[in-house]
């Protein structure tokens, strides 16, 4: 009696293994890659990790050393907004 139960559980576990995929379809995510030493690659790596490699559409991309603070230092501000496919 114990063997068929264990066998049935093993079959069910094997059958559902491929169905455990987490989908983020349509999810909009915002990434901040501001600061010295960071770049757009930091944002795209995060998007790849959450949506899948290049499995997203870029909604907006703003920044890249465009604003200056009061002391005239350039601020490296970057924001990437994506929607997972």
């Amino acid at each position: 009696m114990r063997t068929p139960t264990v066998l049935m559980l093993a079959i069910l576990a094997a059958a559902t293994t491929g169905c455990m995929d987490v989908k983020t379809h349509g999810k909009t995510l915002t990434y901040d890659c501001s600061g010295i030493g960071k770049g757009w690659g930091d944002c795209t790596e995060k998007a790849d990790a959450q949506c899948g490699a290049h499995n997203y559409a870029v909604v907006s991309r703003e920044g890249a050393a465009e604003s200056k603070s009061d002391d005239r230092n350039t601020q490296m501000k970057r924001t990437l907004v994506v929607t997972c496919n």
Side-chain angles (χ1 to χ4, degrees):
M1 180 80 171
R2 182 177 167 116
T3 303
T5 304
V6 172
L7 183 59
M8 184 58 87
L9 289 174
I11 291 170
L12 285 173
T16 59
T17 302
C19 300
M20 303 294 274
D21 215 10
V22 176
K23 299 288 183 188
T24 54
H25 180 68
K27 186 175 183 180
T28 301
L29 304 166
T30 303
Y31 302 102
D32 180 33
C33 303
S34 302
I36 296 173
K38 292 187 178 181
W40 290 115
D42 295 304
C43 284
T44 56
E45 283 178 16
K46 292 175 186 177
D48 284 342
Q50 288 190 306
C51 297
H54 307 292
N55 193 29
Y56 55 88
V58 175
V59 175
S60 72
R61 186 180 201 158
E62 298 177 8
E66 56 194 22
S67 62
K68 293 194 177 199
S69 63
D70 293 334
D71 60 357
R72 300 264 185 217
N73 288 332
T74 302
Q75 297 176 356
M76 305 297 277
K77 292 188 176 188
R78 293 176 200 88
T79 303
L80 179 69
V81 179
V82 302
T83 300
C84 297
N85 295 330

